[in-house]
Amino acid sequence: MKNYSTAQVAHVLKIGRQTLHRWIASGDVSAPRRSKVGGVIVRMWTTADVERVRKYKQKNYRKGRGRKPKHKA
């Protein structure tokens, strides 16, 4: 199973790194555990994590236009 850094996940999903960090901070996307690699603490994202964020993006994100409007029932 391949691992990705946060920057790589943002690049693959075509979103900004700060957008991904904002989603994590707000609790919209759960981040994987942090690991210490060479004295630096990083998040190692799996392919399953990337797909989970991709699904969130498809439901909630419109580049340059803010959030998608809520559907009226």
Side-chain angles (χ1 to χ4, degrees):
M1 187 175 269
K2 186 173 179 179
N3 288 323
Y4 300 90
S5 69
T6 301
Q8 289 172 325
V9 172
H11 181 75
V12 166
L13 297 176
K14 298 181 181 171
I15 58 174
R17 195 171 41 91
Q18 288 300 324
T19 299
L20 185 53
H21 283 292
R22 193 170 40 253
W23 290 349
I24 293 167
S26 67
D28 296 330
V29 171
S30 59
R33 288 187 182 176
R34 295 176 183 171
S35 302
K36 197 169 195 176
V37 178
V40 178
I41 297 174
V42 295
R43 289 186 173 106
M44 298 305 293
W45 299 78
T46 63
T47 307
D49 294 328
V50 175
E51 286 305 312
R52 185 172 35 81
V53 176
R54 185 185 316 272
K55 288 178 184 177
Y56 175 80
K57 178 189 172 192
Q58 288 174 345
K59 284 179 74 176
N60 299 292
Y61 183 74
R62 295 187 313 170
K63 184 174 182 170
R65 296 182 286 162
R67 292 184 174 181
K68 287 186 178 180
K70 301 225 182 226
H71 294 288
K72 294 180 182 177

